[in-house]
Amino acid sequence: MEDWIDYYDSTHTIYASKLHRDVHFELIARDITGYIPSKDATVLDYACGEALSASKVTEACAKLILAEPAPKVRSRVAARFAANPKIAVHSLEELRDLPAGSVDLAIMNSVAQYMTLAQLEDAFAVVKRLLKPDGQLVVGDILPPDLGMMTDVMALLRLAAKHGFLWDALVSLVKTALSDYRQLRTTLGLQHYGAADMLAKLEAAGYRASRAKINIGHNQARMTFLAQPIG
């Protein structure tokens, strides 16, 4: 995961344009908000990235914890939301020091594919300690075993055509093909999980789990799972 953290902490070309970036985070915020159980809830966004639309999430909850492993990204997020009393920004390690049973909803979106199995299992354990007995973990954007890069490309192009950044997306795809992202994806690979495999991993980590009907974000070839702590 460290190489991927370094990549996202650098000046990368993962977004085709500012519009693409804004649309991406608005969609994620919309979908996260749909899982918030009440206005009094405490929400954890695990490995949140830039979290540009976090303020929209706070409209539906009492507190939002943004946890981010990349130092430069985390610094920008902390500065961006310094004036918002509902938002707290932490490193992933700092989550271990937060009170047990203090989180109503935890989101891990588009994270598992960058983790080793040991890192994923550790993350599930950290989150389980933080969740209230009736809390929920939402694990989004899981890549199934048969998902290829072309499927992701087509999902991006459909999103771009819908929101008006198609030309930027086409140019970005060329740049990405020549970028460190393509090299990292080829060298390190991304972790893929079948639905049964992910359900088994969540259950082994102490959750009761099911697959959601709709994936978080724009790419419906990927999967989202819902998990509640047991015991």
Side-chain angles (χ1 to χ4, degrees):
M1 187 177 180
E2 288 73 18
D3 288 325
W4 284 113
I5 291 173
D6 289 342
Y7 172 77
Y8 280 103
D9 220 20
S10 67
T11 303
H12 56 74
T13 58
I14 198 69
Y15 300 111
S17 64
K18 181 181 182 298
L19 177 57
H20 175 202
R21 184 192 66 179
D22 291 347
V23 166
H24 168 80
F25 282 105
E26 286 172 6
L27 289 175
I28 300 303
R30 178 203 66 188
D31 291 348
I32 290 175
T33 299
Y35 284 108
I36 296 176
S38 75
K39 288 273 191 177
D40 297 325
T42 294
V43 178
L44 166 64
D45 190 346
Y46 188 104
C48 62
E50 295 284 354
L52 294 180
S53 295
S55 293
K56 294 185 178 180
V57 177
T58 62
E59 294 174 4
C61 66
K63 182 178 181 180
L64 175 60
I65 301 168
L66 299 176
E68 171 54 38
K72 293 178 183 177
V73 176
R74 186 168 65 249
S75 179
R76 288 196 297 270
V77 170
R80 184 178 299 126
F81 299 114
N84 190 328
K86 287 187 172 185
I87 295 179
V89 180
H90 293 284
S91 68
L92 298 188
E93 284 302 314
E94 288 171 341
L95 294 180
R96 301 177 187 275
D97 299 324
L98 297 183
S102 59
V103 171
D104 296 280
L105 172 69
I107 305 291
M108 290 180 61
N109 185 60
S110 200
V111 180
Q113 63 262 40
Y114 302 115
M115 290 178 153
T116 65
L117 179 56
Q119 289 170 336
L120 183 64
E121 291 173 344
D122 181 67
F124 285 164
V126 169
V127 171
K128 185 173 184 288
R129 186 188 72 84
L130 291 175
L131 284 174
K132 295 178 180 179
D134 60 348
Q136 180 170 242
L137 166 63
V138 179
V139 185
D141 228 29
I142 297 297
L143 283 62
D146 58 349
L147 182 72
M149 187 177 292
M150 188 53 62
T151 302
D152 286 345
V153 167
M154 294 308 298
L156 170 61
L157 293 178
R158 286 192 294 270
L159 181 72
K162 180 177 180 180
H163 291 277
F165 59 93
L166 183 57
W167 174 250
D168 288 334
L170 292 168
V171 172
S172 176
L173 287 170
V174 174
K175 291 181 179 179
T176 301
L178 303 173
S179 73
D180 291 343
Y181 177 86
R182 178 62 181 271
Q183 295 172 24
L184 279 173
R185 185 161 176 167
T186 300
T187 304
L188 300 178
L190 296 173
Q191 300 300 318
H192 294 243
Y193 298 96
D197 190 21
M198 180 52 64
L199 290 171
K201 284 176 170 47
L202 284 164
E203 289 167 3
Y207 295 88
R208 180 175 60 256
S210 61
R211 180 179 172 184
K213 293 181 179 180
I214 299 174
N215 182 43
I216 291 178
H218 74 280
N219 192 341
Q220 295 307 307
R222 301 185 180 193
M223 302 178 289
T224 288
F225 295 85
L226 311 178
Q228 293 79 36
I230 301 173

